[in-house]
């Protein structure tokens, strides 16, 4: 009888262990590197865009900083924002003065399920930049072929390194740069890309705005699990 009880208890213990949910085993790491900007190879994962594609006169570049004394060499996104439009342009744009850098298409997608924020380590110029996350459309039907885009402002203190931590809940759904009034959920399991942009006439109170030069150094972009 004692042997039977021992076998029964061993079976019960094994069953309990099999069905016990150890949350630490299911959670992702506390942070996940998405992009770094320490080499020219890293920068080749991005492409630039600006209003110059539509008749504007803004310009942008992306390059590696000149490392000195063995220090890290971050990427530098810089250029000039112009509100002017070239004469005789065939494009009838209603606004100019914007530049951006967008990641090139992934071989698949990035899975950020389990994370609740994104972090960007930056050293800026006092301007307000825009962080955009592109996700696969939940519906993904012929009637809605485009990816979803989500945007949040990032203020960059002038001349100081700063880690901006933005909860995914702060990203708003947008359409061609305009916030849309819709109840939507970000598809974090299928992130297709990211971008960082700057607009001469957009931002928040207290940030630098207007036409002129811009410059932001970027060290890395990560996903965070803060809970």
């Amino acid at each position: 009888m004692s042997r039977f009880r021992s076998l029964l208890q061993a079976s019960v213990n094994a069953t309990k262990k099999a069905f016990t949910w150890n949350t630490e085993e299911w959670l992702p790491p506390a942070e996940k590197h998405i992009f770094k900007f320490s080499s020219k190879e890293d920068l080749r994962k991005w492409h630039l865009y600006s209003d110059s594609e539509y008749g504007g006169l803004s310009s942008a570049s992306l390059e590696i900083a000149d490392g000195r004394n063995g220090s890290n060499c971050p990427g530098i996104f810089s250029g000039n924002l112009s509100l002017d439009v070239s004469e005789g342009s065939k494009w009838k744009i209603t606004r100019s003065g914007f530049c951006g850098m967008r990641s090139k298409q992934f071989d698949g997608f990035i899975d950020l399920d389990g994370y609740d924020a994104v972090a960007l380590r930056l050293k800026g110029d006092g301007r307000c930049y825009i962080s955009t996350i592109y996700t696969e459309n939940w519906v993904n039907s012929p009637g809605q072929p485009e990816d979803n885009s989500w945007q949040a402002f990032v203020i960059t203190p002038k001349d100081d390194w700063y880690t901006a931590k933005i909860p995914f809940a702060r990203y708003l759904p947008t359409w061609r740069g305009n916030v849309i009034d819709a109840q939507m959920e970000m598809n974090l399991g299928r992130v297709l890309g990211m971008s960082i942009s700057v607009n001469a006439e957009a931002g928040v109170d207290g940030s630098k705005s207007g036409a002129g030069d811009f410059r932001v150094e970027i060290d890395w972009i990560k996903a965070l699990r803060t809970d």
Side-chain angles (χ1 to χ4, degrees):
M1 179 63 72
S2 61
R3 184 178 181 184
F4 173 77
R5 287 179 178 174
S6 297
L7 289 172
L8 178 61
Q9 188 62 50
S11 177
V12 170
N13 291 340
T15 302
K16 286 182 178 180
K17 185 175 181 180
F19 284 92
T20 297
W21 184 342
N22 185 342
T23 56
E24 291 300 320
E25 294 179 0
W26 290 87
L27 291 174
E31 61 181 42
K32 178 177 182 176
H33 260 98
I34 303 175
F35 293 106
K36 58 181 180 178
F37 299 85
S38 57
S39 70
K40 292 184 178 180
E41 187 63 31
D42 294 331
L43 301 192
R44 292 192 185 100
K45 298 177 182 178
W46 297 78
H47 67 82
L48 297 168
Y49 62 91
S50 71
D51 56 40
S52 63
E53 301 173 29
Y54 308 99
L57 298 176
S58 300
S59 60
S61 66
L62 181 60
E63 57 189 0
I64 292 291
D66 181 17
R68 298 176 182 176
N69 301 321
S71 60
N72 291 334
C73 304
I76 301 177
F77 172 48
S78 62
N80 182 269
L81 298 171
S82 172
L83 300 178
D84 298 326
V85 178
S86 59
E87 295 183 7
S89 172
K90 65 177 181 179
W91 301 98
K92 296 182 179 180
I93 59 175
T94 58
R95 60 181 180 178
S96 60
F98 64 88
C99 294
M101 49 180 280
R102 177 171 176 169
S103 62
K104 296 179 181 178
Q105 187 172 1
F106 298 142
D107 183 14
F109 56 88
I110 293 178
D111 184 356
L112 297 184
D113 265 340
Y115 294 94
D116 51 49
V118 68
L120 305 90
R121 181 159 173 76
L122 310 164
K123 183 166 74 170
D125 53 4
R127 285 187 182 272
C128 183
Y129 290 79
I130 301 171
S131 169
T132 304
I133 298 175
Y134 303 94
T135 62
E136 186 176 83
N137 192 311
W138 284 107
V139 180
N140 199 22
S141 66
Q144 292 182 309
E146 295 195 16
D147 304 329
N148 293 150
S149 63
W150 306 78
Q151 294 186 332
F153 286 131
V154 182
I155 300 175
T156 58
K158 183 175 174 57
D159 299 329
D160 288 324
W161 279 105
Y162 169 69
T163 300
K165 298 179 181 179
I166 313 169
F168 289 129
R170 269 183 48 196
Y171 281 83
L172 300 176
T174 62
W175 169 254
R176 296 182 179 178
N178 297 309
V179 175
I180 60 176
D181 184 13
Q183 295 295 324
M184 299 175 63
E185 180 182 352
M186 188 184 293
N187 189 354
L188 287 172
R190 301 182 77 87
V191 173
L192 302 175
M194 295 184 173
S195 72
I196 298 173
S197 58
V198 59
N199 193 317
E201 297 185 316
V204 297
D205 292 342
S207 62
K208 179 181 176 181
S209 62
D213 294 339
F214 69 89
R215 175 189 170 99
V216 60
E217 297 182 41
I218 312 168
D219 193 2
W220 45 253
I221 301 175
K222 299 178 182 178
L224 302 179
R225 178 171 58 82
T226 61
D227 186 2

